[in-house]
PDB file of all heavy atoms in Angstrom:
ATOM      1  N   LEU G  42      33.194  -6.814 -14.657  1.00 38.00           N
ATOM      2  CA  LEU G  42      32.604  -8.175 -14.554  1.00 38.00           C
ATOM      3  C   LEU G  42      31.509  -8.277 -15.799  1.00 38.00           C
ATOM      4  O   LEU G  42      30.637  -7.365 -15.887  1.00 38.00           O
ATOM      5  CB  LEU G  42      31.818  -8.391 -13.267  1.00 38.00           C
ATOM      6  CG  LEU G  42      32.664  -9.107 -12.224  1.00 38.00           C
ATOM      7  CD1 LEU G  42      31.841  -9.248 -10.980  1.00 38.00           C
ATOM      8  CD2 LEU G  42      33.154 -10.414 -12.749  1.00 38.00           C
ATOM      9  N   GLU G  43      31.580  -9.331 -16.464  1.00 36.00           N
ATOM     10  CA  GLU G  43      30.581  -9.613 -17.326  1.00 36.00           C
ATOM     11  C   GLU G  43      29.240 -10.067 -16.776  1.00 36.00           C
ATOM     12  O   GLU G  43      29.348 -10.563 -15.661  1.00 36.00           O
ATOM     13  CB  GLU G  43      31.027 -10.790 -18.326  1.00 36.00           C
ATOM     14  CG  GLU G  43      32.221 -10.321 -19.269  1.00 36.00           C
ATOM     15  CD  GLU G  43      32.499 -11.541 -20.152  1.00 36.00           C
ATOM     16  OE1 GLU G  43      31.605 -11.840 -20.993  1.00 36.00           O
ATOM     17  OE2 GLU G  43      33.617 -12.124 -20.064  1.00 36.00           O
ATOM     18  N   THR G  44      28.219  -9.823 -17.358  1.00 36.00           N
ATOM     19  CA  THR G  44      26.960 -10.414 -16.874  1.00 36.00           C
ATOM     20  C   THR G  44      26.369 -11.311 -17.893  1.00 36.00           C
ATOM     21  O   THR G  44      26.528 -11.143 -19.154  1.00 36.00           O
ATOM     22  CB  THR G  44      25.944  -9.294 -16.501  1.00 36.00           C
ATOM     23  OG1 THR G  44      25.731  -8.495 -17.725  1.00 36.00           O
ATOM     24  CG2 THR G  44      26.443  -8.481 -15.405  1.00 36.00           C
ATOM     25  N   THR G  45      25.678 -12.339 -17.454  1.00 36.00           N
ATOM     26  CA  THR G  45      25.002 -13.298 -18.348  1.00 36.00           C
ATOM     27  C   THR G  45      23.975 -12.705 -19.125  1.00 36.00           C
ATOM     28  O   THR G  45      23.261 -11.860 -18.746  1.00 36.00           O
ATOM     29  CB  THR G  45      24.637 -14.575 -17.584  1.00 36.00           C
ATOM     30  OG1 THR G  45      24.042 -15.477 -18.484  1.00 36.00           O
ATOM     31  CG2 THR G  45      23.464 -14.168 -16.607  1.00 36.00           C
ATOM     32  N   GLN G  46      23.766 -13.200 -20.423  1.00 34.00           N
ATOM     33  CA  GLN G  46      22.735 -12.761 -21.249  1.00 34.00           C
ATOM     34  C   GLN G  46      21.462 -13.401 -20.916  1.00 34.00           C
ATOM     35  O   GLN G  46      20.441 -13.129 -21.494  1.00 34.00           O
ATOM     36  CB  GLN G  46      23.146 -12.960 -22.681  1.00 34.00           C
ATOM     37  CG  GLN G  46      24.333 -12.155 -23.167  1.00 34.00           C
ATOM     38  CD  GLN G  46      24.204 -10.693 -23.041  1.00 34.00           C
ATOM     39  OE1 GLN G  46      23.101 -10.162 -23.453  1.00 34.00           O
ATOM     40  NE2 GLN G  46      25.091 -10.074 -22.423  1.00 34.00           N
ATOM     41  N   GLU G  47      21.510 -14.412 -20.005  1.00 35.00           N
ATOM     42  CA  GLU G  47      20.297 -15.130 -19.709  1.00 35.00           C
ATOM     43  C   GLU G  47      19.375 -14.238 -18.871  1.00 35.00           C
ATOM     44  O   GLU G  47      19.610 -13.635 -17.851  1.00 35.00           O
ATOM     45  CB  GLU G  47      20.695 -16.346 -18.894  1.00 35.00           C
ATOM     46  CG  GLU G  47      19.444 -17.248 -18.376  1.00 35.00           C
ATOM     47  CD  GLU G  47      19.803 -18.328 -17.552  1.00 35.00           C
ATOM     48  OE1 GLU G  47      21.016 -18.458 -17.297  1.00 35.00           O
ATOM     49  OE2 GLU G  47      18.928 -19.159 -17.204  1.00 35.00           O
ATOM     50  N   THR G  48      18.115 -14.100 -19.433  1.00 36.00           N
ATOM     51  CA  THR G  48      17.098 -13.329 -18.709  1.00 36.00           C
ATOM     52  C   THR G  48      15.816 -14.185 -18.429  1.00 36.00           C
ATOM     53  O   THR G  48      14.700 -13.539 -18.514  1.00 36.00           O
ATOM     54  CB  THR G  48      16.772 -12.021 -19.558  1.00 36.00           C
ATOM     55  OG1 THR G  48      16.339 -12.442 -20.773  1.00 36.00           O
ATOM     56  CG2 THR G  48      17.999 -11.084 -19.543  1.00 36.00           C
ATOM     57  N   THR G  49      15.956 -15.439 -18.422  1.00 38.00           N
ATOM     58  CA  THR G  49      14.750 -16.282 -18.316  1.00 38.00           C
ATOM     59  C   THR G  49      14.113 -16.043 -16.977  1.00 38.00           C
ATOM     60  O   THR G  49      14.713 -15.926 -15.946  1.00 38.00           O
ATOM     61  CB  THR G  49      15.202 -17.724 -18.320  1.00 38.00           C
ATOM     62  OG1 THR G  49      16.012 -18.007 -19.532  1.00 38.00           O
ATOM     63  CG2 THR G  49      13.997 -18.677 -18.339  1.00 38.00           C
ATOM     64  N   ASP G  50      12.826 -15.835 -17.064  1.00 42.00           N
ATOM     65  CA  ASP G  50      12.064 -15.687 -15.825  1.00 42.00           C
ATOM     66  C   ASP G  50      12.087 -16.983 -15.020  1.00 42.00           C
ATOM     67  O   ASP G  50      11.900 -18.122 -15.501  1.00 42.00           O
ATOM     68  CB  ASP G  50      10.550 -15.406 -16.172  1.00 42.00           C
ATOM     69  CG  ASP G  50       9.756 -14.959 -14.954  1.00 42.00           C
ATOM     70  OD1 ASP G  50       9.995 -15.467 -13.910  1.00 42.00           O
ATOM     71  OD2 ASP G  50       8.768 -14.130 -15.135  1.00 42.00           O
ATOM     72  N   LEU G  51      12.337 -16.776 -13.734  1.00 42.00           N
ATOM     73  CA  LEU G  51      12.534 -18.046 -12.852  1.00 42.00           C
ATOM     74  C   LEU G  51      11.238 -18.870 -12.877  1.00 42.00           C
ATOM     75  O   LEU G  51      11.283 -20.049 -12.706  1.00 42.00           O
ATOM     76  CB  LEU G  51      12.796 -17.575 -11.397  1.00 42.00           C
ATOM     77  CG  LEU G  51      14.217 -16.977 -11.150  1.00 42.00           C
ATOM     78  CD1 LEU G  51      14.406 -16.554  -9.725  1.00 42.00           C
ATOM     79  CD2 LEU G  51      15.338 -17.984 -11.586  1.00 42.00           C
ATOM     80  N   SER G  52      10.030 -18.212 -13.057  1.00 41.00           N
ATOM     81  CA  SER G  52       8.893 -18.915 -12.969  1.00 41.00           C
ATOM     82  C   SER G  52       8.729 -19.931 -14.183  1.00 41.00           C
ATOM     83  O   SER G  52       7.932 -20.819 -14.109  1.00 41.00           O
ATOM     84  CB  SER G  52       7.680 -18.017 -12.973  1.00 41.00           C
ATOM     85  OG  SER G  52       7.625 -17.279 -14.119  1.00 41.00           O
ATOM     86  N   LYS G  53       9.490 -19.692 -15.184  1.00 40.00           N
ATOM     87  CA  LYS G  53       9.371 -20.554 -16.424  1.00 40.00           C
ATOM     88  C   LYS G  53      10.472 -21.583 -16.451  1.00 40.00           C
ATOM     89  O   LYS G  53      10.489 -22.463 -17.339  1.00 40.00           O
ATOM     90  CB  LYS G  53       9.440 -19.616 -17.672  1.00 40.00           C
ATOM     91  CG  LYS G  53       8.231 -18.653 -17.779  1.00 40.00           C
ATOM     92  CD  LYS G  53       8.407 -17.817 -18.955  1.00 40.00           C
ATOM     93  CE  LYS G  53       7.259 -16.769 -19.058  1.00 40.00           C
ATOM     94  NZ  LYS G  53       7.450 -15.903 -20.155  1.00 40.00           N
ATOM     95  N   ALA G  54      11.475 -21.471 -15.570  1.00 38.00           N
ATOM     96  CA  ALA G  54      12.539 -22.498 -15.604  1.00 38.00           C
ATOM     97  C   ALA G  54      12.024 -23.895 -15.152  1.00 38.00           C
ATOM     98  O   ALA G  54      11.117 -24.017 -14.373  1.00 38.00           O
ATOM     99  CB  ALA G  54      13.672 -22.009 -14.608  1.00 38.00           C
ATOM    100  N   SER G  55      12.668 -24.926 -15.693  1.00 36.00           N
ATOM    101  CA  SER G  55      12.274 -26.246 -15.393  1.00 36.00           C
ATOM    102  C   SER G  55      13.423 -26.876 -14.646  1.00 36.00           C
ATOM    103  O   SER G  55      14.443 -27.106 -15.291  1.00 36.00           O
ATOM    104  CB  SER G  55      11.912 -27.010 -16.660  1.00 36.00           C
ATOM    105  OG  SER G  55      11.492 -28.383 -16.395  1.00 36.00           O
ATOM    106  N   LEU G  56      13.219 -27.252 -13.440  1.00 37.00           N
ATOM    107  CA  LEU G  56      14.249 -27.843 -12.619  1.00 37.00           C
ATOM    108  C   LEU G  56      13.989 -29.330 -12.540  1.00 37.00           C
ATOM    109  O   LEU G  56      12.859 -29.729 -12.019  1.00 37.00           O
ATOM    110  CB  LEU G  56      14.294 -27.232 -11.180  1.00 37.00           C
ATOM    111  CG  LEU G  56      14.657 -25.767 -11.212  1.00 37.00           C
ATOM    112  CD1 LEU G  56      14.827 -25.323  -9.699  1.00 37.00           C
ATOM    113  CD2 LEU G  56      15.784 -25.334 -12.021  1.00 37.00           C
ATOM    114  N   GLN G  57      14.774 -30.202 -12.959  1.00 37.00           N
ATOM    115  CA  GLN G  57      14.567 -31.651 -12.867  1.00 37.00           C
ATOM    116  C   GLN G  57      15.339 -32.161 -11.672  1.00 37.00           C
ATOM    117  O   GLN G  57      16.576 -32.149 -11.611  1.00 37.00           O
ATOM    118  CB  GLN G  57      15.103 -32.289 -14.177  1.00 37.00           C
ATOM    119  CG  GLN G  57      14.387 -31.861 -15.422  1.00 37.00           C
ATOM    120  CD  GLN G  57      12.919 -32.056 -15.385  1.00 37.00           C
ATOM    121  OE1 GLN G  57      12.362 -33.143 -14.871  1.00 37.00           O
ATOM    122  NE2 GLN G  57      12.069 -31.072 -15.813  1.00 37.00           N
TER     123      GLN G  57
END
Side-chain angles (χ1 to χ4, degrees):
L42 268 182
E43 294 183 63
T44 55
T45 180
Q46 296 300 313
E47 180 182 2
T48 57
T49 305
D50 191 326
L51 291 178
S52 64
K53 298 178 182 178
S55 179
L56 301 188
Q57 299 301 319

